[in-house]
Amino acid sequence: MSNESITNRPLRPSGRPPLRRALPVLVVQVLVAMAVAGAFAGLYIGLQQAPTPHHLPVAVVGSELADAASAALGGSADVHAVDSAAAARALVRSHDVVAALVPGADGSTLAVAGADGRSATGAATAMLTRVADAGGVPVTRTQDIVPLVAADGQGIAGFYLVFGTTLAAFVLAQIMNSLGALAGLRVRVVVTVIGSIAAAVVVAVIAGPVDGAVPAATGVVIGVLALLAVAVSLSTLAVTALLGPIGVVVSTLVFTTLGNATSGATVSTHLLPPLLSAVGGALPPGAAFGAVTAASYFDGAGTARALLTLGLWIVGATIVVSATAARRRRRELTLTTPARTADGRSRSTRSTAARAEASDRAAVAVGDPQDSRS
């Protein structure tokens, strides 16, 4: 064979498998991307097509009108009967109800909490308007007694606040996963926590003092978002530690897709199917959104439960990461501990010697320069 034919022959890069072997893996990656995109679009668009109220809490002044409302609305609303307009408005301000119907001599007043979001207040307004019309006291005035701040006129600041923090924490966790060869687990976990808190500070400062879209105290928002970021990042590390590479896909679907879609930031949890409403409140994005909203507009009502949810995610993720790391260390120790043979030499020593002898024979066979010094 001529030197020219050898020189012109295309060489496959060392260590790269042939395309026919890599093709199935590449196809799977494309299918995964399609699944994530489909889930994202399906959840966000699908949930907003025809949201249906489920036990939407409302208040009605007067027992007779309240009974009529309960009968007319059925399972779509939980009607709270109160004795006075003051009591009805107090329930709205404390976040116990979304809206209150206050009948009067010249028509009814509808008190709503704009901070509950357009989907919830819109549904409550439509239901109570029908009740008022049927009772002969049509709504003549609507009062927003818990309005959104002017800088968040569309009511979407909470969504971007939570989504941005969740996404940053997820990306940071994936970067730390990819650096396993450069840093130990403890270092990567510490960097993940520090980076998550730093990202939360940036988001909270921009949304609060800079843009004025979140009226809660900046320190409170930083605390909630820091818990959210740490919960998501550590949980992502935990899922990938348990499931391997497929854990990236699972984390994406659970936290950035399902968690944010069911958080109540775009569609109120009262308008989601009951199962999704429960899931949304149990996931970190939903808990964080509820806590920020409560701290901003409802004097912190319900914040303790949301913070407990975030704390449980952090504790659970820490336990899983620690347990999987300990199991890996035990497995590696078992594999590397030498077992003694009949001649008193360890199997690892014998296998090392055998590999060395095989290497020497191969070197002599090919004329290895290292073995031709003599």
Side-chain angles (χ1 to χ4, degrees), residues 335-352:
L335 294 175
T336 56
T337 299
R340 296 292 173 179
T341 59
D343 60 1
R345 299 170 65 189
S346 68
R347 287 201 180 103
S348 61
T349 303
R350 289 171 60 90
S351 61
T352 301

Side-chain angles (χ1 to χ4, degrees), residues 26-237:
L26 299 176
V27 170
V28 169
Q29 305 311 308
V30 173
L31 293 177
V32 167
M34 294 170 61
V36 171
F40 191 93
L43 275 173
Y44 278 93
I45 297 174
L47 290 177
Q48 297 186 65
Q49 283 186 337
T52 303
H54 298 280
H55 302 286
L56 185 68
V58 296
V60 177
V61 176
S63 58
E64 184 177 348
L65 187 58
D67 290 341
S70 295
L73 300 177
S76 62
D78 284 340
V79 179
H80 298 252
V82 292
D83 296 328
S84 65
R89 291 187 174 90
L91 288 177
V92 175
R93 292 192 180 95
S94 63
H95 210 199
D96 290 310
V97 300
V98 175
L101 182 64
V102 182
D106 56 348
S108 296
T109 298
L110 184 64
V112 300
D116 261 318
R118 289 185 174 182
S119 61
T121 56
T125 298
M127 290 191 298
L128 292 180
T129 297
R130 293 197 303 270
V131 169
D133 289 341
V137 281
V139 174
T140 56
R141 292 179 301 277
T142 299
Q143 295 177 341
D144 188 352
I145 60 176
V146 189
L148 291 162
V149 293
D152 187 26
Q154 300 300 314
I156 57 176
F159 169 76
Y160 290 113
L161 189 78
V162 171
F163 184 81
T165 304
T166 302
L167 183 61
F170 172 77
V171 170
L172 177 61
Q174 292 310 313
I175 293 174
M176 290 299 105
N177 271 327
S178 68
L179 298 180
L182 299 179
L185 176 63
R186 184 175 302 175
V187 172
R188 286 182 286 129
V189 169
V190 170
V191 172
T192 298
V193 172
I194 294 174
S196 298
I197 295 174
V201 171
V202 171
V203 174
V205 170
I206 291 175
V210 176
D211 290 338
V214 179
T218 303
V220 173
V221 179
I222 289 175
V224 172
L225 295 185
L227 289 175
L228 167 63
V230 173
V232 170
S233 59
L234 289 184
S235 297
T236 299
L237 292 178

